[in-house]
Each structure stands twice: as structure tokens, then as C-alpha cells.
Amino acid sequence: FSSPAIYKSFVYFGAYDGNFYALNKETGKRKWIFMEADWIGSSPCVAENLKIVYVGLEFGLWKKRGGIVALDAETGKKKWEYINMPEYTHCSPAYSKKFGAVAIGSNDGIVYCFKAKNGELLWKYQTGREIKASFAFDEKRGLIAFGSFDKNVYVLKIKTGELVYKIETEEAIYSTPLIREDSLYVASLDKNLYSIDLKTGKVVWKFATNARIFASPEMIGDNIYIGSNDGRLYELDAKIGKNTAFFQATERITNKIAYTPKTKKIFLPTFANEIYCLSREIGQ
């Protein structure tokens, strides 16, 4: 469940053996291991300017189910931790350099926002159900966006956690939003990808796929790419939501694509443990 993060010569990932691993990204040799969790389904994020890596933790204890830890990115030494969450923390943390904040959600439906450097709890925000995916920051406007299993997309103020607005979808959200310029893109298990005007909170367009969407959107140029459980990777015009191309895989697509600008290659993982390497034909 944990996607890797890269920093300098390190690659980081968590596993359901309860360990958080730091490997040499060239050789795969272990550099250090953090072993204090029972399970890790969270994906790490790195604050490069602070040289800290963050990850969510899960525990098998009665009143200690979830938390977050901040580790020195090079040595693995614990900088700070918050392990007082009453439910499992599967959510992946997100970091804002401008605001010096790191946010994470938990299965208790709460978003926790901390001072990234020392772990001071800045604010908490309660939603109606679990928060499974991660967050998108709009540092220009000072906003943070995320989805909840209560079927809503939330937009809060980064500094205070105050609700700016929320948008209701027809099903739970297990997808990390994407913010580009004045638009917020988020997928729902109701099979739709939504484009939302960040200024007004109004839905500009929505695009329906043929199955639930767990994957997160990505943007390349002027196009949005989103995978669906129908096994199809969709290319959409970001402004109007028109489907301009697609690739049909053999299985469900539950993760977002990775793109290499230098080679213009798209890497697409599927639920069948496959990875496709795709290229967009010029003029097509």
C-alpha cells in the first residue's frame, strides 16, 4: 500500500511488516530501518529543506491505533512523533514548505496539522468518516484540500484549519486531490472525476468513467490523466473535461501514473502487478 519517496541517494517506503525502510536508491542496500510500528500502509513524504521524512503508523493496541513519526532523512533518528490517534492511520502525510506544516488524516475522520519542524499540533478538523488518501496544498491562497469517506471534498485554511467550503460527491473518496492554478481535481468512488473552481468551490465539470476510481489524478501539459477500475487510463482536457485519448489495460488501475518529462514516458501500474510504459504519439 505504501508508495516510495526519493531524497538524494535514499528511497523510502513502509511495509505491513511494521518496518519503514531507507535504502540506497542505486544498489538497494539498506541504510536504516525504523521498526516501531505494527503496520505501515502510509506513503512517506520528505521535507527536503528540513531533511525530515514523515510517515503514518498503525498499531495493534487498544487505545493506540495510529500516529505519525518524523525521522531524520539521512540517519533515521526520530525527530518527533504523535501517536495518540485512536484509530488506524493509513493516510499519507503531506508537507507545505511555505507554511512549515505537515498534515495527515486518520480513520477517526480527523485531519491533524503539525508544525513540521517540531511536531507542535497546530489544529485538528473533524470529518464524518475515515480519511484514507492524502492532501493537496494551494500555497498561493493558503488552502489545503482533501477527501473523506463521508463523501465530501474539504477545502480548509492551512493556518487555522477553518472550513472554507466543502463539495459533496455521491460516494466515498479514496483519491488524493490535485491542484493546478485555479482548479482542484479530485476523484470519487462514485466513478467521477471532478474539476472544481478553487475560488468559488463550484464544480466546473465532472467526467464519468465506467467503474470506481481509487487512483489519483496527474497533470501533463494541459491534460489530466486518471485511471479507473474499468482498467482504462483516461486523458482529459483539463479545462473542459473532454476525453481526448485513452489506454485500455487488462486490470484495474488504482494508483496514479508516474511521468518522466525527459523521455516523455508514462508509467502505469495496475492491480494485476503489471507496469506499463506508455508514450503519447505526436499529433495523436
Side-chain angles (χ1 to χ4, degrees):
F1 284 100
S2 178
S3 298
I6 292 175
Y7 168 70
K8 292 186 176 179
S9 63
F10 296 82
V11 56
Y12 309 98
F13 65 97
Y16 262 63
D17 59 7
N19 294 334
F20 184 68
Y21 295 89
L23 310 181
N24 182 296
K25 72 175 184 180
E26 301 295 337
T27 66
K29 183 179 179 180
R30 295 181 185 182
K31 291 201 168 186
W32 51 261
I33 302 175
F34 175 79
M35 304 175 66
E36 295 183 19
D38 290 317
W39 312 283
I40 297 179
S42 172
S43 299
C45 73
V46 180
E48 294 190 2
N49 61 312
L50 301 177
K51 298 180 180 179
I52 296 176
V53 58
Y54 307 90
V55 71
L57 309 174
E58 298 174 65
F59 304 98
L61 302 175
W62 179 248
K63 291 187 177 181
K64 177 181 156 184
R65 296 281 188 171
I68 180 175
V69 68
L71 305 171
D72 184 293
E74 296 187 359
T75 66
K77 182 180 178 181
K78 190 190 301 182
K79 298 288 234 179
W80 58 263
E81 66 181 1
Y82 184 92
I83 51 175
N84 301 319
M85 300 174 192
E87 299 295 339
Y88 296 128
T89 302
H90 185 87
C91 180
S92 300
Y95 169 66
S96 167
K97 180 180 178 181
K98 180 178 179 179
F99 289 88
V102 62
I104 194 168
S106 188
N107 283 7
D108 58 10
I110 297 176
V111 177
Y112 300 80
C113 186
F114 304 91
K115 189 174 288 187
K117 190 173 183 178
N118 61 19
E120 176 189 344
L121 182 62
L122 299 175
W123 52 262
K124 296 192 293 186
Y125 184 85
Q126 179 75 61
T127 72
R129 285 196 60 191
E130 302 96 312
I131 300 166
K132 294 281 194 181
S134 194
F135 306 83
F137 288 104
D138 179 5
E139 294 187 327
K140 180 173 71 174
R141 298 177 181 82
L143 304 177
I144 181 172
F146 64 96
S148 169
F149 266 39
D150 68 6
K151 306 180 184 181
N152 287 289
V153 182
Y154 291 86
V155 177
L156 312 178
K157 292 183 179 179
I158 298 174
K159 286 186 176 180
T160 63
E162 177 186 350
L163 178 68
V164 179
Y165 51 76
K166 63 180 181 178
I167 303 98
E168 186 175 6
T169 69
E170 295 180 17
E171 267 302 338
I173 297 168
Y174 205 146
S175 176
T176 299
L178 172 71
I179 290 177
R180 287 294 185 273
E181 297 179 351
D182 296 328
S183 297
L184 168 66
Y185 303 94
V186 63
S188 170
L189 296 184
D190 67 10
K191 306 178 185 181
N192 290 290
L193 175 69
Y194 293 80
S195 173
I196 297 163
D197 188 320
L198 271 171
K199 297 177 182 177
T200 64
K202 303 295 183 182
V203 176
V204 178
W205 55 258
K206 65 178 182 178
F207 178 81
T209 70
N210 298 309
R212 296 184 297 171
I213 305 176
F214 290 86
S216 301
E218 185 61 281
M219 192 166 190
I220 304 172
D222 296 324
N223 296 316
I224 295 290
Y225 291 80
I226 186 75
S228 171
N229 272 19
D230 60 14
R232 183 167 290 190
L233 176 68
Y234 295 88
E235 178 192 87
L236 308 175
D237 184 301
K239 291 185 178 180
I240 60 176
K242 180 183 177 182
N243 185 196
T244 51
F246 70 87
F247 173 79
Q248 185 66 53
T250 56
E251 246 287 4
R252 291 162 285 178
I253 300 169
T254 54
N255 290 81
K256 75 174 183 179
I257 63 166
Y259 178 66
T260 306
K262 184 177 180 180
T263 62
K264 297 183 179 180
K265 293 290 192 296
I266 294 171
F267 295 91
L268 173 69
T270 77
F271 202 72
N273 302 324
E274 303 167 322
I275 297 178
Y276 291 89
C277 179
L278 310 174
S279 60
R280 185 74 158 84
E281 293 183 14
I282 297 174
Q284 296 296 316

